[in-house]
Amino acid sequence: MARFMSRLWCKVESSGRHLPIVLNAVLVFSITAEVSYLVLVEAPLEPEQKKTEWSTMWKAMHLFAQYFMLGNITWNASLFVKTNPSIRGVFLGGDALGQGWRYCYNCETHTPPRCSHCYDCNVCVLRRDHHCVFFGQCVGFHNYRYFLTCLLFMWAGLLYAVVMNAEVFIVILKEGVTFHSIMLLLVPWIMLVSGQVTAQAFAFAFIADTCVLGFLLVAAFLFFHVAVMLRGQTTREWYSTRQPYNLGALANIRECLGKYWYICWLCPLIPSPLPGDGINFKVTGSLEPTK
């Protein structure tokens, strides 16, 4: 019985690790479907514009922009999860230990500077930033580019969704603001349970509210990581007043996004080799805390 419960718990735990990824995928594709419906059916155009070629061009441009962002989100997320950020399979060169090297008792090996052990992944990660619970993967030296680019397009996609929902809402406002429409946007769950709205109206209101909240949350994460990157730090180093790895804003961006940082964010297929190896870093200040 104990063995059966242990196996069952392992399966539940394994499924739970993938749950955030599934929920994120459902949310992203739900927002995409809702915005596609707004573009194709509820396009906020004037009546005379809907009868011209401009209507077709307007819809085509919006759909292209939308699915371009969706493709970048899914592709970068896939590469982020598949890219191994840990020390597994990496020759650390333990004979040339220098300043900043530490011994990890969990992995039973010496680890380079900025490398730390993740107890969720149960392995040390090169230039570890943090463990991303949304993807069940650590953000480190080798996959930071995909994480940041995915975050960028998620922010852009949510902004686009917010704008589209706002345009449709403005059209509704022109027809007259009612207490019913305001309550639908503020408390859609209560309106659904009380039978005041249909399931379709609830779904659109709920996704519109989710877009606004998601946009604010992702914007906070994105701007924080951009600030961290410009300072040459990781999330773990943010709380320190020292910046020993700060090479200047441009060099810091190149350290994170690679040689072709100015264009690699457009598509994950664009190669952008990183200047370092995740083990050795240029130091511009003391690694020891000031007394």
Side-chain angles (χ1 to χ4, degrees), residues 166-207:
E167 288 184 356
V168 173
F169 186 62
I170 289 173
V171 174
I172 296 175
L173 290 180
K174 290 181 180 179
E175 299 175 357
V177 181
T178 62
F179 178 77
H180 183 274
S181 61
I182 295 176
M183 291 298 294
L184 176 61
L185 289 174
L186 295 179
V187 284
W189 282 102
I190 296 178
M191 298 293 287
L192 178 67
V193 172
S194 60
Q196 300 295 319
V197 295
T198 62
Q200 183 182 15
F202 163 78
F204 284 115
F206 178 76
I207 293 178

Side-chain angles (χ1 to χ4, degrees), residues 205-253:
F206 178 76
I207 293 178
D209 292 344
T210 303
C211 289
V212 175
L213 294 177
F215 167 74
L216 296 176
L217 180 63
V218 173
F221 274 112
L222 176 63
F223 295 146
F224 170 76
H225 278 284
V226 170
V228 167
M229 178 179 62
L230 293 176
R231 291 177 51 167
Q233 293 180 310
T234 62
T235 299
R236 298 179 67 254
E237 299 165 348
W238 171 261
Y239 301 100
S240 174
T241 56
R242 297 177 296 110
Q243 300 178 27
Y245 303 104
N246 188 359
L247 306 177
L250 189 59
N252 291 336
I253 296 174

